[in-house]
């Protein structure tokens, strides 16, 4: 499940707040989804809040962390070579 839309609507109008995000994460997990993509690329998407919200959801909803897959992406401005 992509979490790029979780964060603060003060940052972008399409971003869902924490309450809505927690409901979505619970719904997804209950439906069998255990993979979450936080995608905090250059603060383009969630300004880092999607990671915090996902962590809070795992803790508050008592989701089994050993069953949750968390993915993200990075981008280098310069090649490594």
């Amino acid at each position: 499940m992509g979490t790029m839309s979780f964060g603060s609507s003060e940052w972008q109008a399409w971003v869902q707040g924490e309450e809505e995000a927690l409901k979505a994460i619970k719904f997804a997990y209950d439906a069998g989804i255990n993979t979450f993509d936080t995608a905090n690329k250059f603060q383009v998407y969630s300004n880092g809040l999607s990671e915090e919200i996902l962590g809070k959801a795992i803790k508050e909803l008592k989701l089994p962390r050993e069953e949750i897959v968390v993915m993200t992406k990075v981008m280098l401005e310069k090649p490594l070579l």
Side-chain angles (χ1 to χ4, degrees):
M1 173 181 193
T3 64
M4 69 181 227
S5 64
F6 299 163
S8 172
S9 60
E10 293 176 13
W11 187 69
Q12 291 286 340
W14 51 266
V15 176
Q16 294 180 341
E18 184 175 298
E19 184 177 337
E20 295 85 7
L22 290 174
K23 289 177 187 177
I25 292 167
K26 173 145 179 48
F27 182 85
Y29 183 79
D30 288 347
I33 296 171
N34 71 335
T35 303
F36 298 89
D37 181 0
T38 60
N40 184 28
K41 181 177 112 179
F42 306 110
Q43 299 179 345
V44 170
Y45 300 122
S46 67
N47 240 5
L49 290 178
S50 66
E51 290 88 346
E52 292 179 26
I53 291 171
L54 180 59
K56 187 172 186 175
I58 291 169
K59 184 176 181 178
E60 287 189 7
L61 301 172
K62 298 181 180 12
L63 302 180
R65 180 58 186 96
E66 63 278 1
E67 294 180 15
I68 304 292
V69 177
V70 179
M71 302 182 302
T72 193
K73 302 172 194 69
V74 297
M75 181 174 169
L76 300 174
E77 292 185 28
K78 298 179 184 179
L80 291 175
L81 301 176

